Amino acid sequence: MVNRTSPPTVQRRILARELRHLRERASLTGDDIKDRLGWSPSKISRIENARISVSQGDIELLLDVYNASAVQRERLLALAGQTQTPHSWRAYPAPTQEFLSFLEVEAVADSIRQWEVGVVPGVLQTEAYARHLIQSWRDIDDTLTQRQVEDRVAIRLNRQKRFLPPESSHIWIVMDESILMRTVGGPDVMAEQLQQLVDFSLLPNVKLQVAPLDRPRGVFEESFTLLNLDRSNPLEQCLVYIDHNLTSQFLLDEQRSIYFEKMFEYFHRSALDEETSRTIISRYNRDASMV
């Protein structure tokens, strides 16, 4: 029986939005769906507003009507499965439910863009760098166990697989130069981490830029991540995820998505190009190796 009173999960809200985009792209109305599937327009409305959950079978029917591509079908059916069945990430004690949702959406995203001001983005961290960061939180949070530290390190390392062959999802990261200057875990840890940044930047599906400190910048914003499920869909708005350690949130409304799209555009335009960024990272790597 469908539970119509519980609040929709992030995944269900995203799925609802993506189904609406596909319908609009196909230039179909609720009445058109009624003619083809015998469903009432109100059912389509409830699905697209995430007021009710929808079965895998019904989603497949809608995807047939919308002439969804094989890639679109794969992503949306995977997302639908996450709203109904436990995902492998749930084996780990993730910090928040929102972060767990982020992991599951990231796992099916077509492309990711990220602006980072504090530390090397999690998907690019070495094991030693990640462990030092997470271990250090035990000085702040005495409830964090060593088992949880190791589980969170494992999460970060597993996330990297999405951006390595054979999956090779697209990711574009703009990071503040201060991250390269900030020593985490000692010179050896930093040297290894900086070399990994160089190695990742050479992958064809990874775009990495450094925003230099000596270049004028008049706009500032905390770290954020933009996720797109389907880059080929001109109607799709990005999903915005903001993580501030103890608090995190998804932003799904169109106006706020546009704001963060513009912010990312500003930061990447004010950053160094990829080749120059790689040269800067290599320079910091040489400095760290000499310490």
Side-chain angles (χ1 to χ4, degrees):
M1 179 180 296
V2 174
N3 185 345
R4 299 172 185 266
T5 59
S6 61
T9 63
V10 168
Q11 293 94 317
R12 197 167 98 199
R13 289 162 58 201
I14 294 171
L15 177 64
R17 196 186 74 164
E18 295 304 309
L19 288 173
R20 175 173 60 83
H21 285 162
L22 283 177
R23 178 180 58 76
E24 292 174 347
R25 189 178 188 182
S27 300
L28 296 173
T29 67
D31 287 333
D32 293 326
I33 308 305
K34 177 182 177 181
D35 292 340
R36 301 193 187 193
L37 297 179
W39 298 358
S40 67
S42 63
K43 177 176 178 177
I44 298 299
S45 175
R46 290 195 300 273
I47 290 173
E48 293 183 356
N49 286 287
R51 292 173 56 193
I52 61 172
S53 59
V54 55
S55 69
Q56 292 271 78
D58 281 353
I59 292 173
E60 291 191 34
L61 289 173
L62 287 173
L63 294 177
D64 287 341
V65 171
Y66 300 156
N67 291 318
S69 68
V71 172
Q72 290 169 335
R73 295 178 70 92
E74 180 182 3
R75 289 199 180 97
L76 293 188
L77 288 172
L79 191 63
Q82 292 170 5
T83 70
Q84 299 163 9
T85 59
H87 189 279
S88 59
W89 291 119
R90 298 180 189 276
Y92 298 100
T96 65
Q97 181 61 42
E98 286 287 312
F99 182 64
L100 179 59
S101 294
F102 167 74
L103 294 176
E104 295 180 337
V105 175
E106 182 187 58
V108 298
D110 181 27
S111 68
I112 296 169
R113 289 165 292 166
Q114 185 171 349
W115 161 246
E116 182 58 61
V117 298
V119 297
V120 171
V123 294
L124 301 184
Q125 291 176 9
T126 64
E127 181 175 352
Y129 187 99
R131 179 171 285 104
H132 181 83
L133 285 176
I134 299 169
Q135 184 78 38
S136 296
W137 270 102
R138 297 189 71 186
D139 295 334
I140 306 299
D141 182 1
D142 56 13
T143 67
L144 185 63
T145 67
Q146 189 59 41
R147 169 62 186 277
Q148 289 175 316
V149 169
E150 297 305 319
D151 283 343
R152 293 180 188 184
V153 171
I155 286 176
R156 295 196 183 182
L157 297 180
N158 282 335
R159 287 171 62 202
Q160 291 180 8
K161 296 176 182 178
R162 283 277 294 160
F163 309 101
L164 296 170
E167 293 192 58
S168 302
S169 297
H170 292 269
I171 187 166
W172 182 359
I173 291 175
V174 182
M175 55 191 294
D176 194 77
E177 184 183 3
S178 62
I179 295 171
L180 308 177
M181 304 169 65
R182 189 172 297 117
T183 301
V184 173
D188 290 344
V189 172
M190 281 305 299
E192 179 190 33
Q193 178 61 77
L194 293 169
Q195 183 58 52
Q196 177 148 305
L197 287 178
V198 172
D199 294 342
F200 263 88
S201 74
L202 293 169
L203 296 174
N205 57 300
V206 176
K207 186 172 183 176
L208 181 60
Q209 293 180 268
V210 174
L213 293 175
D214 63 358
R215 182 170 291 185
R217 188 191 310 168
V219 176
F220 299 87
E221 183 57 82
E222 295 298 314
S223 305
F224 59 86
T225 302
L226 308 177
L227 303 100
N228 286 86
L229 297 188
D230 182 5
R231 288 174 297 155
S232 69
N233 186 350
L235 296 175
E236 187 194 27
Q237 289 293 322
C238 65
L239 312 171
V240 182
Y241 179 73
I242 301 174
D243 183 10
H244 291 157
N245 293 318
L246 294 180
T247 61
S248 56
Q249 60 178 325
F250 261 108
L251 307 178
L252 303 182
D253 63 280
E254 183 174 335
Q255 288 304 311
R256 299 182 80 177
S257 293
I258 292 172
Y259 167 82
F260 282 99
E261 289 264 17
K262 290 181 177 179
M263 289 299 300
F264 187 83
E265 176 72 16
Y266 174 86
F267 290 130
H268 101 72
R269 283 191 286 103
S270 64
L272 301 170
D273 62 63
E274 293 177 79
E275 186 59 39
T276 307
S277 295
R278 191 157 39 246
T279 299
I280 293 294
I281 296 170
S282 296
R283 189 194 73 199
Y284 278 105
N285 187 14
R286 288 193 298 271
D287 293 344
S289 300
M290 293 173 60
V291 175

